Amino acid sequence: MEQRRQLAAVGLTEQTVQTARPNPATHRPSLETGLHYARSYAALHGDLNASPSDRHEGFPIGKWLARQKHQADLHTARSAAPYPAGPLLAAVDPWWNPPWNGDWQINHRAARKLVENGIRLLPDQGFPGTPDWTGQWLYTQCVAYQNLHPGQQHRLTQLGITATNAPTARPRRVTQQSSFDTGLGHARTYAAQHGHLAAPRSANHHGYRLGTWLAHQRKRAANGRLPHHRAEALDVLDSWWNPPWGLPWQITYHAVRNEIHGHALNAAAGFPGLPPAATRWLLTQCTNYGDLHPGQQELLTGLGITPQDAHAARPQQETRTHRRTGASRARPTTVSSSIDGGLPYARSYAHTHGGLGTAHYTTEHNGFPLGWWLYEQRKRAVAHLRRTGRPWPHDTQLTALDPWWNPPWRASWNHSYHQAHIHHTAGRPFPGTTTKWIRTQQHAWNQLHPHQQHLMTIIGIHGPTPLCRYKPVPANNQPLVMPRKVGTCKITVCRMK
């Protein structure tokens, strides 16, 4: 009683104790924790046939059961004594670790679910009312009934398949044409409901795995094994059911089309009034319009985007503030940060400015926030290298525009360097800020990256020597003397001898 009183003082009453649950996020769950979730899982599903990836109430029940089965098998191989946790798990499900494979368990569960839903399994009629794959599996079990493990026979008996009616089972033979007709019927109702057949592989239509069926037809078409009349039947429902540009684009297109419904598109203003995701996608299509398939261009025209609209498309000017450690940076809300979305602008900027090094974070080019886009690409390149140990796949595209677009030093160094390079090439005097920056590089010469040292030699800086030994080359190739005041000293920048 004293212990209960002390527990009640910290909030552990009889009522709260009854609601206690083990922590599902435990890194190394105890046997009691695993058993708790195993009982709960079995109460919900009727067995412990969990795949390794299954989670239950946040607990990795599939991984935990797989570990128990592995430990049980090791224990049996090393010792004649039963696995200590075996009887506890057998009390939850007698066949938690069966001598047959896990696929059999999964198929059995699918058949059991059908029985629980009121479907009678009639072997002599070919298991009507069951999906093709389940019916065929049941027929296979009937054919091999005498060779099955007694435990498997017992579980089939619970479904109504006994040693008496198993020999009467008829095969679930469905001709390829009949199977196609079944899928085509579901595709027809799906297209009537959605207006297209851009269904993802996971799509389930009225209990039929339509996404898988369509993926199979596309694969057969790619291999040249889909009969012409079947392809035509699908073309009637959706002329782009098997697009040459890939299904992901098509799925996104239809999602955006649904969001556009009732909106007037204004490409020049950045498609205002649409969700950010739809706006970014549309801007990306407009940016890459010339590289799109004619069929994609035709579909965009159906949305109201002509070639003229695509050429005139610009991101919205509105930005939102993204605060970071006391500072703020304007970050676009409707601009795509994808490589395809900004690469045309990067090419244009590099052609105009001789590279990408002069682009600051706030730099815009033809209305596109190129500086922000480059910042995003640098982050992705670094993250990819850290995660995989390999260069970013798109690095070569940007390196072709500027070898130092993502240098191993701070990008701000490039900005100062380009200012110096411009004055050096034009033969103009270095501004005071550039002179100070060059002197700083000379002082820290041995700490510079070898490539930084190489770039400095291009503007005439060959080592940690005094700045007065260097001067930019004038355009007319005449001697040029440029006084610089630093404190009380006058520095004369002259031609290097």
Side-chain angles (χ1 to χ4, degrees):
M1 291 301 293
E2 178 60 23
Q3 289 176 312
R4 292 189 178 185
R5 187 188 66 78
Q6 293 182 14
L7 290 174
V10 296
L12 293 179
T13 64
E14 185 174 354
Q15 292 74 20
T16 58
V17 168
Q18 292 176 354
T19 63
R21 295 290 184 273
N23 181 8
T26 304
H27 180 63
R28 292 182 177 275
S30 64
L31 179 61
E32 291 76 12
T33 299
L35 284 172
H36 168 82
Y37 289 104
R39 295 188 187 100
S40 176
Y41 183 90
L44 179 63
H45 298 282
D47 53 47
L48 291 179
N49 301 335
S51 63
S53 60
D54 281 354
R55 300 184 70 89
H56 177 64
E57 298 179 357
F59 182 77
I61 185 67
K63 185 183 296 185
W64 184 82
L65 283 171
R67 186 162 57 249
Q68 297 304 316
K69 292 174 184 177
H70 179 67
Q71 293 294 334
D73 294 341
L74 288 179
H75 187 87
T76 302
R78 296 174 181 176
S79 172
Y83 181 53
L88 300 175
L89 286 164
V92 180
D93 180 1
W95 302 108
W96 73 276
N97 187 23
W100 50 85
N101 60 47
D103 289 341
W104 195 95
Q105 294 283 84
I106 294 173
N107 283 294
H108 176 270
R109 175 190 283 185
R112 179 169 55 79
K113 292 291 185 183
L114 294 174
V115 174
E116 292 174 354
N117 291 333
I119 296 179
R120 293 184 59 196
L121 302 184
L122 303 175
D124 58 336
Q125 298 181 27
F127 304 99
T130 63
D132 293 345
W133 50 91
T134 304
Q136 187 61 37
W137 179 82
L138 288 168
Y139 172 73
T140 302
Q141 305 313 305
C142 290
V143 171
Y145 191 87
Q146 299 301 326
N147 298 324
L148 296 179
H149 188 278
Q152 293 173 298
Q153 295 177 350
H154 173 71
R155 306 202 75 180
L156 289 174
T157 300
Q158 293 175 328
L159 302 180
I161 300 176
T162 64
T164 303
N165 60 16
T168 66
R170 293 174 54 188
R172 187 63 177 265
R173 292 177 181 174
V174 179
T175 63
Q176 191 179 82
Q177 183 61 45
S178 176
S179 177
F180 179 83
D181 291 341
T182 301
L184 185 64
H186 286 281
R188 186 176 292 110
T189 58
Y190 184 92
Q193 179 180 347
H194 299 277
H196 59 84
L197 288 179
R201 193 180 186 92
S202 59
N204 191 298
H205 183 62
H206 297 164
Y208 184 80
R209 297 193 293 187
L210 180 63
T212 302
W213 182 83
L214 284 170
H216 181 62
Q217 306 311 311
R218 294 186 187 103
K219 183 177 180 180
R220 287 176 61 84
N223 295 334
R225 296 189 294 110
L226 184 67
H228 183 67
H229 70 279
R230 295 183 184 175
E232 285 185 337
L234 289 166
D235 287 338
V236 171
L237 303 180
D238 181 358
S239 57
W240 298 113
W241 72 274
N242 185 25
W245 46 82
L247 190 62
W249 190 95
Q250 196 72 359
I251 293 174
T252 306
Y253 164 80
H254 285 290
V256 172
R257 187 185 69 171
N258 293 335
E259 293 177 341
I260 288 175
H261 184 69
H263 287 81
L265 298 183
N266 187 348
F271 303 103
L274 295 178
T279 303
R280 287 193 292 269
W281 187 83
L282 288 171
L283 286 171
T284 301
Q285 306 317 306
C286 291
T287 301
N288 302 285
Y289 191 86
D291 299 327
L292 296 179
H293 188 280
Q296 292 173 298
Q297 297 177 350
E298 177 187 339
L299 290 173
L300 290 176
T301 302
L303 297 180
I305 301 176
T306 64
Q308 294 76 18
D309 293 327
H311 181 72
R314 293 292 182 272
Q316 296 179 23
Q317 296 302 313
E318 295 81 12
T319 59
R320 65 186 179 189
T321 298
H322 184 64
R323 300 200 172 275
R324 298 183 180 208
T325 62
S328 63
R329 288 183 175 179
R331 184 159 63 93
T333 59
T334 61
V335 181
S336 173
S337 64
S338 68
I339 186 70
D340 292 333
L343 198 56
Y345 294 100
R347 291 195 186 103
S348 174
Y349 185 91
H351 178 75
T352 304
H353 297 84
L356 301 173
T358 57
H360 294 260
Y361 184 85
T362 56
T363 298
E364 290 192 2
H365 182 65
N366 294 336
F368 183 81
L370 182 65
W372 165 80
W373 181 83
L374 284 170
Y375 172 75
E376 292 294 319
Q377 308 317 306
R378 292 186 185 107
K379 285 201 307 182
R380 293 175 184 179
V382 172
H384 182 86
L385 181 62
R386 288 176 178 173
R387 185 175 62 253
T388 66
R390 297 188 297 273
W392 190 43
H394 302 294
D395 181 72
T396 53
Q397 295 174 277
L398 289 165
T399 301
L401 305 180
D402 185 345
W404 306 112
W405 77 274
N406 185 26
W409 51 83
R410 292 181 67 88
S412 58
W413 191 93
N414 281 12
H415 303 155
S416 300
Y417 172 80
H418 277 280
Q419 291 296 321
H421 185 270
I422 290 172
H423 286 81
H424 175 80
T425 304
R428 297 196 302 267
F430 291 132
T433 54
T434 302
T435 301
K436 182 179 179 180
W437 178 82
I438 292 177
R439 188 174 289 111
T440 301
Q441 306 313 305
Q442 289 181 291
H443 288 318
W445 184 266
N446 294 328
Q447 283 74 46
L448 294 181
H449 191 281
H451 293 309
Q452 288 177 296
Q453 294 177 353
H454 170 72
L455 291 173
M456 293 298 293
T457 62
I458 296 176
I459 61 173
I461 310 300
H462 296 273
T465 52
L467 181 60
C468 62
R469 295 187 58 189
Y470 300 94
K471 67 177 291 297
V473 179
N476 56 8
N477 202 30
Q478 297 298 319
L480 183 63
V481 176
M482 297 166 291
R484 289 279 182 269
K485 286 187 177 182
V486 181
T488 60
C489 299
K490 178 179 289 188
I491 305 296
T492 299
V493 181
C494 54
R495 184 186 302 276
M496 180 177 68
K497 296 181 180 180

